[in-house]
Amino acid sequence: MYEEYKNAIVTGAARGIGKSIAQKLAKNGLNVVVSDVLLDEAVSVAEGLAKNFGVKSFAVKTDVSNAEDVANLIKTTVIQWGSVDFLINNAGVTRDNLTVRMSEQEWDMVLDINLKGTFLCSQAAAKEMMKKRFGRIVNIASVSGILGTSGQANYASSKAGVIALTKTFARELGKRNICVNAVAPGFILTEMTEKLSDKVKEEYIANIPLNRAGTPEDIAEVVSFLISPAASYITGTVINVSGGLLI
């Protein structure tokens, strides 16, 4: 990691992929703000990071679709540590339904959190990063945003939007030495996917050339690379972490 840049925010970090990313960054020596709507779980994760990896960490309850919450997240981080060097936009939800049955509420909620939330957090963090002419933003997209997924018109649209947003921010912020990239996970074993039946899981895995589901750690490794000096000439890129699903 960079010697002079140490402060990271991970949204949706109380569970699943976000938690694994937070743990990987802390293991690499970064201070991590654990942002989530699930405050008690976020606090537990932050305490674990500080105890197990010897870094600074605290939790902030954040609804990423709420501009005031996002402003508070960034402001609190700057007050505590002086800067926001790395932002991982991981917070996201699903509200699946067939397109003809999907309610306006189901559409709005997913787009507000997944896409608007990524925009609000990136915008607020970028303003701080521009002051120091350094920053790394990684957005968690999805292969659904590339392929489309039956029953997930809202989710797939939000993640396609995240990919476009990633490229736009990368173009606008590159001259300030701010790299913006995305990771597009495939079928990843998390609390959410564990609830699926064995039959559904088998159907997903049957379409994956590597013949297995991914893990949150698989995503965390790629995120860690993208914010490292080794990726300093990579921006506006989407890395698919899907076991070959998109071949």
Side-chain angles (χ1 to χ4, degrees), residues 106-155:
E106 289 170 334
W107 174 271
D108 287 346
M109 182 179 186
V110 172
L111 269 290
D112 280 352
I113 293 173
N114 296 7
L115 182 54
K116 179 183 175 183
T118 298
F119 165 72
L120 289 176
C121 290
S122 298
Q123 181 187 55
K127 291 177 181 178
E128 293 298 326
M129 293 173 175
M130 289 170 70
K131 296 175 184 178
K132 296 199 171 186
R133 302 187 71 84
F134 177 88
R136 300 290 182 263
I137 298 173
V138 179
N139 300 322
I140 305 303
S142 171
V143 295
S144 293
I146 301 169
L147 293 172
T149 308
S150 296
Q152 289 193 317
N154 49 5
Y155 184 77

Side-chain angles (χ1 to χ4, degrees), residues 178-227:
I178 300 170
C179 297
V180 187
N181 292 288
V183 176
F187 183 58
I188 307 298
L189 290 178
T190 63
E191 290 90 340
M192 187 183 300
T193 55
E194 281 294 344
K195 297 176 182 178
L196 299 174
S197 68
D198 289 341
K199 181 181 179 181
V200 172
K201 292 177 186 176
E202 289 171 3
E203 289 174 351
Y204 272 114
I205 293 172
N207 292 315
I208 301 172
L210 286 184
N211 198 38
R212 70 170 179 88
T215 67
E217 290 74 24
D218 290 324
I219 308 304
E221 290 288 348
V222 178
V223 171
S224 176
F225 163 70
L226 284 173
I227 67 169

Side-chain angles (χ1 to χ4, degrees), residues 34 47 53 58-59 74 76 81 84 90 92 102 111 128 135 146 150 168 173 183 200 208:
V34 180
E47 290 175 347
F53 303 107
F58 63 89
I74 302 302
T76 301
W81 296 339
V84 177
N90 168 76
M102 184 170 290
L111 269 290
E128 293 298 326
I146 301 169
S150 296
T168 301
L173 300 176
V183 176
V200 172
I208 301 172

